Amino acid sequence: MVSYKRLSPEDVQFTNAVASEEAPVREEGKDPEETDRPLLPRRPSCSATTALISLGSLLLLVCGLWLLVTIFWLQAPSNSVPHRAPPPRGSPGTGGGDGSRALPEPQACGVVPEAWRFDCYPERGVVVTRELCEARNCCFIPASSSPPAPGRNGVPWCFYPPGFPSYSLVSVNATDLGQTGTLVKMVKTYYPKDILTLQLELLYETDNRLRVRITDPSESRFEVPIAVPKATEKASNPAYSVELSNEPFGIIVKRTSTGAVLLNTTVAPLFYCDQFLQLSSSLSSQYIYGLGEHRSSFLHDIHWNTLTMWARDVAPTELTNLYGVHPFYLAMDEGGTGTAHGFFLLNSNAMDVVLQPGPAITWRTIGGILDFYVFLGPDPASVIGQYLEVVGYPAMPVYWALGYHLCRWGYGSSNATWDVVKNMRNYGIPQDVQWNDIDYMDRSLDFTFDPTAFSTLPDMVKDLHSHGQRYVMMLDPGISSVQPEGGYWPYDEGLRRGVFINHTDGSTLIGKVWPGLTAFPDFSDDVTHEWWYDNLKRFHDKVPFDGLWIDMNEPSSFVDGSTVGCPDTELENPPYTPGILGGLLRAKTLCASAVQKTSSHYNMHSLYGLLEAKASARALKRMLGKRAFVISRSTFPSQGQYSGHWLGDNRSHWKDMYTSIAGMLTFNLLGVPLVGADICGFSEQTEEELCVRWTQLGAFYPFTRNHNSIDQKPQDPPAFSPRARSAMKQSLLLRSSLFPLLYTLFHRAHTHGHTVARPLLFEFPKDVRTYGIDRQFLWGKSLMVTPVLDPGVDYVVGYFPQGLWYDYYTGDSIRSKGEELRLKAPLDHINLHLREGAVIPTQRPNTTLFVSSGQPLHLVSSLSEDGSAGGELFWDDGESIDTLETDQYAHVVFTVVKNTMTSEVLHDHVEASYITVETASFYGVKVEPTRVTVNSHDAAFTYRANQVLTVTDLGLNLSQNFTISWI
């Protein structure tokens, strides 16, 4: 059997009866090829083609055979040679008698559709000729389609033929958790150090989670050192079935409820060399999300799109590997069923992820093992929850993290920084946190501050604290290595404790960052964590900061590798290098061969930001005794447990504002909900209109910070005209008023793995029109945000999924059939709409969340057609560690049914007793009430013609159950 044939029963091992059922009947009107995408149509084998050619004399007698060969001939390229060429010298052999293997038949190559051609020559910078391609025993056919766009790949001209040698499954055994098997390969590939015998391990970990591990049984290989759950018993009723192909080896995973194929690795050969591992699979549809960090639309383009992963310091740019590495995707199943699944490759090595229009995907990594998970959902939100069960739920943020943050590179002095804070106060503009970029440091040295320009920094921080505000400053990982001996404790002590990354000869690796020549801490070593804490504590004794901004932690260096270069080894120059910016693993970072405690930098590079965030969060908790606030540039799966993320050094362009929504939504999928972009843009000069619109959008980033670069004009709200300043102030006050809702959403993210900023498709998964929407988003399940993302307009077009929606500000209703609507959007307005069936808690806003959090609540209910609604509030002191685990919290549920709102205190705490419910509004009350009662007592109310009922002067204690009724 060959790779591209439909599997026959004798080549498949079924794990249960469902797997042996016939494929579902194709729906009427569907394209046959599209229906068969996961398992490609039956192909004639190479041996059959050979027989037909040799029996050509019978074609005149057998009409059917003549027609068949005519079709093959028409499909073959005109320049194909109709005979076998001798194998090129040095080409891989078959393992047969003479160790040689013939080139694929032209007819066999010609029947492979372009969409299903898997690249046999993925190296960059090489003009792939027929000779080069055939040296790998692959098919060479110039693509018939138009050339790809600049910077994009196109249909590969060199691709694997049917029957290209792969692994065979030679044995399978049952285990307590699933199955194990042995894979054997008889033919070496064109990459060195093939591992010819592999171990397969199938782990049925839960009913909705399958884990597959393919390892080298003879020698241990690097595995990503993050904690993942260990199953103790096999899933009793899995939502998936697994089929195993023997020859060639492949895994087919189906959804038992529908028969949908979620994974099919038989579509292309498996590679498992020391520094080249490749796994391909069909995809269930074209709707693929995740695969961070890249600047792109939220929905990925699958038309020959290669996404490279290797942490890199570069301003957000299309088709470029950026700061973080997240080899996880969410896929919607075909047909608008609303079902979804996820796939996670637990691997930290440099990799390419190739999407092609089959639809199919190829994972191509240069180290580690193949260790992957399939999550069955079935809905998108469940997929994310299941993924986060593996990598860890995000931490509950400290309350002030959800306020408005202000920063810039280039304040120049602490007094100038302080003046900005005072100006914000004078205008009554909300601000919770003031930041400083690297210019606060003394000669860019970590754990110092400029004794002249920033001499009043400690006083400024004390003033911030006295006003209920907080202070955060930047730290880079690079530690200056050229200060006089005894003059810079971080480096001297680091050398003494041995915390720095070394060359292979044991000497300290020296790179170059802002302070000049620098050494880099090895955060994979617990000794480094202790040294990091000691440095933070020493600095905190001088400047009592509240949180950390860790930057340049890809790690970034201004020289490639080190100041003395890197050794010429296989780690520095692997046989295949993914498409990373700069073309070398060491480009603007450390030598791949550099030595860390856990492993080589080759394996650890993309984990650097995660491990620094972990060290930082631990240090802050230990030092402050409160929840840690850390924002990191480089990220990896499980990052949300330790830090948030900002989307990097963006530009003051309208397009950057638009793409920030996709970035925000993607990181919510990846388990890092505390995320946002630099409001108004970091580099280049912003414009007033852009900054106003961006502040409105940024007010709905989970993490909201305005930050810009040195040598640019200030872009804090007071820097603009009164009209612009007023519009910014309104949007920030609006955010503050929604703090109770936002805080509750983060509680849900922390406890259940929910998203905070949410794509519309999560709530409307059966509405295919929502699948590509990234110009709108939701907070939770109910509050829809439709920002203006274009210049010079006073309107915006938004899509409203089917149902009843209410204007958040007025309560005016919109009954949508699933349609786009044009909305008014003057400069001082951002459109918000409430979905029917919600109760959201809001609060009277103030200039800091410290003050706002004690203000009375206003409950807003958006009633469904039947008059029902529901919501909740989670409340605690906002900063203590593990309040849920220690029962130091309040949890209140609000329900509206049959003209009555009830509150039920599921868990009480003294914090709730400090808050009162002052007013309640009900959108969609169809008949004007004659009487409203609160806890059976008459209450004052108003009713407007747009069917909004408002009850005022309630004075209800949040920690006590109450009812509000109307007749």
Side-chain angles (χ1 to χ4, degrees):
M1 208 222 37
V2 297
S3 300
Y4 300 100
K5 286 180 62 178
R6 188 184 301 278
L7 298 171
S8 56
E10 62 270 20
D11 296 309
V12 175
Q13 295 184 358
F14 300 108
T15 57
N16 56 44
V18 178
S20 64
E21 295 177 0
E22 292 185 358
V25 178
R26 174 163 47 88
E27 294 180 14
E28 189 174 336
K30 280 204 171 186
D31 184 278
E33 183 175 326
E34 183 173 326
T35 304
D36 286 342
R37 276 173 176 168
L39 297 175
L40 292 181
R42 185 184 299 276
R43 309 273 191 261
S45 68
C46 294
S47 59
T49 303
T50 304
L52 289 173
I53 294 174
S54 65
L55 296 176
S57 61
L58 299 177
L59 294 177
L60 294 175
L61 302 176
V62 186
C63 181
L65 293 177
W66 179 84
L67 289 174
L68 183 60
V69 173
T70 300
I71 292 172
F72 285 162
W73 178 79
L74 289 174
Q75 288 178 330
S78 59
N79 60 346
S80 295
V81 251
H83 64 272
R84 295 172 183 247
R89 179 172 298 181
S91 66
T94 63
D98 61 357
S100 64
R101 179 164 61 88
L103 291 175
E105 288 287 343
Q107 292 90 341
C109 294
V111 298
V112 181
E114 288 188 350
W116 289 95
R117 294 179 180 176
F118 292 86
D119 198 349
C120 179
Y121 217 113
E123 285 79 1
R124 275 118 175 125
V126 177
V127 177
V128 182
T129 63
R130 179 180 297 277
E131 182 179 14
L132 288 173
C133 180
E134 292 180 351
R136 294 185 173 186
N137 294 110
C138 287
C139 296
F140 184 83
I141 301 178
S144 60
S145 55
S146 57
R152 296 297 296 269
N153 297 326
V155 179
W157 290 19
C158 183
F159 55 94
Y160 302 110
F164 191 93
S166 187
Y167 288 86
S168 300
L169 178 64
V170 298
S171 67
V172 178
N173 296 292
T175 68
D176 291 341
L177 295 177
Q179 294 170 287
T180 61
T182 300
L183 310 180
V184 173
K185 188 173 189 176
M186 303 303 295
V187 182
K188 291 188 176 182
T189 67
Y190 43 84
Y191 289 111
K193 299 183 181 179
D194 280 277
I195 301 171
L196 298 179
T197 300
L198 300 173
Q199 179 171 310
L200 168 70
E201 188 177 13
L202 297 171
L203 301 169
Y204 300 75
E205 295 196 335
T206 72
D207 287 347
N208 291 296
R209 184 176 82 225
L210 170 70
R211 186 179 186 184
V212 180
R213 287 168 52 85
I214 304 176
T215 58
D216 180 356
S218 62
E219 187 173 343
S220 63
R221 295 173 58 81
F222 176 77
E223 298 189 31
V224 179
I226 65 172
V228 295
K230 302 294 184 183
T232 57
E233 59 184 27
K234 184 179 178 180
S236 58
N237 187 28
Y240 48 87
S241 64
V242 180
E243 305 169 10
L244 298 176
S245 166
N246 295 330
E247 178 66 42
F249 164 71
I251 303 172
I252 301 92
V253 179
K254 293 182 179 180
R255 188 184 298 280
T256 55
S257 61
T258 63
V261 177
L262 309 183
L263 185 77
N264 173 20
T265 70
T266 67
V267 296
L270 170 67
F271 282 74
Y272 209 115
C273 308
D274 183 41
Q275 291 182 272
F276 186 87
L277 291 76
Q278 181 171 285
L279 178 76
S280 299
S281 173
S282 62
L283 290 169
S284 62
S285 77
Q286 63 181 314
Y287 302 111
I288 304 298
Y289 312 86
L291 298 175
E293 182 176 9
H294 297 91
R295 173 166 146 146
S296 68
S297 55
F298 178 55
L299 171 63
H300 283 298
D301 181 2
I302 64 165
H303 291 85
W304 308 109
N305 184 11
T306 299
L307 303 169
T308 300
M309 296 187 185
W310 179 249
R312 180 60 151 85
D313 173 7
V314 59
T317 307
E318 284 83 358
L319 305 174
T320 301
N321 53 302
L322 300 183
Y323 314 105
V325 167
H326 295 268
F328 165 84
Y329 70 73
L330 168 76
M332 298 301 296
D333 294 353
E334 192 66 75
T337 61
T339 55
H341 71 277
F343 181 100
F344 171 45
L345 176 63
L346 183 54
N347 186 290
S348 62
N349 290 93
M351 71 177 73
D352 283 332
V353 184
V354 184
L355 300 171
Q356 63 188 71
I361 187 170
T362 295
W363 301 87
R364 192 180 294 134
T365 183
I366 62 172
I369 66 171
L370 293 178
D371 184 0
F372 58 87
Y373 295 81
V374 182
F375 307 101
L376 272 288
D379 59 278
S382 297
V383 171
I384 301 307
Q386 291 156 15
Y387 168 59
L388 295 184
E389 286 176 0
V390 170
V391 301
Y393 291 152
M396 186 67 187
V398 63
Y399 78 96
W400 52 261
L402 306 184
Y404 180 61
H405 302 243
L406 191 56
C407 182
R408 74 162 300 167
W409 179 21
Y411 282 124
S413 70
S414 51
N415 285 340
T417 309
W418 205 344
D419 287 342
V420 171
V421 174
K422 294 173 182 177
N423 220 12
M424 291 283 287
R425 293 174 188 164
N426 290 338
Y427 283 110
I429 301 173
Q431 182 189 3
D432 277 275
V433 193
Q434 180 61 52
W435 297 43
N436 274 124
D437 206 309
I438 197 170
D439 50 316
Y440 80 91
M441 297 180 185
D442 180 14
R443 296 163 292 156
S444 300
L445 302 175
D446 277 353
F447 310 111
T448 69
F449 65 94
D450 187 327
T452 303
F454 281 80
S455 60
T456 59
L457 183 59
D459 296 327
M460 184 194 79
V461 174
K462 291 177 183 178
D463 178 72
L464 288 170
H465 291 168
S466 69
H467 286 81
Q469 296 171 303
R470 299 295 185 269
Y471 179 70
V472 172
M473 83 286 183
M474 171 186 279
L475 274 182
D476 291 340
I479 301 296
S480 175
S481 61
V482 293
Q483 303 308 308
E485 185 176 352
Y488 186 47
W489 193 86
Y491 181 71
D492 295 338
E493 186 66 12
L495 273 184
R496 189 184 70 80
R497 300 190 196 183
V499 307
F500 297 121
I501 295 175
N502 293 328
H503 284 290
T504 53
D505 64 5
S507 62
T508 302
L509 185 147
I510 302 298
K512 187 177 182 181
V513 201
W514 298 112
L517 301 182
T518 53
F520 296 85
D522 176 9
F523 288 105
S524 73
D525 190 342
D526 287 340
V527 173
T528 308
H529 287 220
E530 189 68 20
W531 166 86
W532 191 246
Y533 165 80
D534 290 341
N535 279 284
L536 290 170
K537 181 66 171 63
R538 286 163 61 93
F539 186 69
H540 188 269
D541 290 342
K542 301 172 184 176
V543 180
F545 60 89
D546 302 282
L548 289 176
W549 173 20
I550 51 177
D551 190 20
M552 306 288 286
N553 56 350
E554 291 71 35
S556 175
S557 179
F558 299 159
V559 297
D560 292 349
S562 79
T563 55
V564 296
C566 304
D568 185 10
T569 66
E570 292 175 337
L571 293 183
E572 299 296 340
N573 304 292
Y576 176 81
T577 301
I580 61 179
L581 181 63
L584 299 170
L585 296 180
R586 60 183 175 272
K588 296 299 179 283
T589 189
L590 313 186
C591 296
S593 58
V595 178
Q596 298 187 230
K597 181 178 181 181
T598 299
S599 185
S600 65
H601 195 68
Y602 182 90
N603 295 319
M604 300 294 295
H605 171 81
S606 292
L607 293 162
Y608 196 89
L610 168 67
L611 297 177
E612 186 191 11
K614 186 176 182 179
S616 300
R618 285 179 170 178
L620 286 175
K621 287 182 180 179
R622 178 178 167 189
M623 192 167 62
L624 304 178
K626 300 175 182 178
R627 297 174 206 167
F629 175 80
V630 181
I631 295 292
S632 175
R633 191 167 72 178
S634 188
T635 59
F636 192 80
S638 77
Q639 190 84 28
Q641 295 184 78
Y642 311 108
S643 83
H645 172 63
W646 98 103
L647 297 173
D649 295 340
N650 61 3
R651 302 169 182 85
S652 297
H653 296 170
W654 289 88
K655 183 177 182 180
D656 287 68
M657 177 168 64
Y658 155 63
T659 57
S660 73
I661 298 177
M664 170 186 65
L665 295 177
T666 295
F667 269 90
N668 270 265
L669 265 59
L670 301 175
V672 190
L674 187 63
V675 61
D678 282 345
I679 294 171
C680 303
F682 172 72
S683 66
E684 305 184 27
Q685 189 58 54
T686 195
E687 302 168 352
E688 182 167 281
E689 181 190 9
L690 172 63
C691 202
V692 170
R693 293 301 194 188
W694 209 329
T695 302
Q696 292 169 345
L697 167 61
F700 290 90
Y701 291 155
F703 167 58
T704 297
R705 184 185 70 164
N706 178 321
H707 175 50
N708 70 321
S709 181
I710 197 168
D711 298 329
Q712 304 296 330
K713 294 180 181 178
Q715 61 186 35
D716 51 277
F720 295 99
S721 69
R723 183 187 179 203
R725 185 168 61 241
S726 175
M728 293 180 189
K729 177 179 178 178
Q730 287 181 45
S731 62
L732 297 176
L733 286 170
L734 175 61
R735 177 186 177 86
S736 295
S737 72
L738 291 164
F739 171 69
L741 168 65
L742 184 60
Y743 195 68
T744 301
L745 292 176
F746 268 99
H747 162 68
R748 280 290 171 188
H750 172 58
T751 56
H752 293 81
H754 291 183
T755 51
V756 174
R758 186 169 303 173
L760 270 64
L761 76 90
F762 270 47
E763 294 299 323
F764 304 94
K766 293 185 178 181
D767 185 349
V768 179
R769 293 188 67 180
T770 65
Y771 287 12
I773 291 178
D774 57 9
R775 298 177 70 90
Q776 296 170 271
F777 58 95
L778 297 162
W779 264 15
K781 65 180 182 179
S782 302
L783 183 65
M784 185 166 70
V785 184
T786 308
V788 172
L789 302 171
D790 300 297
V793 298
D794 59 0
Y795 70 92
V796 64
V797 175
Y799 179 71
F800 286 75
Q802 183 175 359
L804 189 59
W805 296 84
Y806 296 91
D807 183 293
Y808 172 77
Y809 306 98
T810 66
D812 293 344
S813 63
I814 298 172
R815 186 169 281 101
S816 174
K817 299 177 181 179
E819 55 197 307
E820 288 187 338
L821 298 175
R822 178 168 165 152
L823 309 169
K824 294 181 180 179
L827 187 63
D828 61 352
H829 184 76
I830 181 169
N831 276 277
L832 301 179
H833 288 84
L834 275 176
R835 179 185 179 189
E836 62 179 310
V839 178
I840 66 167
T842 70
Q843 203 161 31
R844 186 188 302 164
N846 212 295
T847 54
T848 68
L849 291 181
F850 178 76
V851 178
S852 296
S853 61
Q855 298 299 302
L857 296 180
H858 175 53
L859 303 179
V860 181
S861 302
S862 53
L863 304 184
S864 297
E865 197 67 42
D866 62 1
S868 63
E872 65 178 337
L873 173 67
F874 176 84
W875 207 247
D876 59 16
D877 68 4
E879 59 185 15
S880 294
I881 300 169
D882 297 335
T883 57
L884 184 70
E885 293 77 4
T886 57
D887 288 334
Q888 302 299 305
Y889 70 95
H891 187 194
V892 184
V893 172
F894 307 102
T895 307
V896 181
V897 179
K898 296 181 180 180
N899 297 355
T900 299
M901 167 182 269
T902 60
S903 81
E904 181 182 4
V905 180
L906 299 183
H907 195 281
D908 194 17
H909 187 257
V910 65
E911 290 291 334
S913 67
Y914 303 147
I915 309 299
T916 60
V917 178
E918 184 178 53
T919 58
S921 293
F922 302 89
Y923 296 170
V925 177
K926 297 177 182 178
V927 179
E928 181 175 1
T930 58
R931 183 187 180 196
V932 174
T933 61
V934 177
N935 293 335
S936 302
H937 295 90
D938 287 342
F941 67 93
T942 60
Y943 182 82
R944 300 200 303 270
N946 63 348
Q947 300 185 339
V948 174
L949 168 66
T950 301
V951 187
T952 58
D953 301 323
L954 294 172
L956 297 170
N957 192 316
L958 186 65
S959 63
Q960 297 177 359
N961 296 343
F962 62 80
T963 61
I964 303 174
S965 301
W966 63 91
I967 55 175

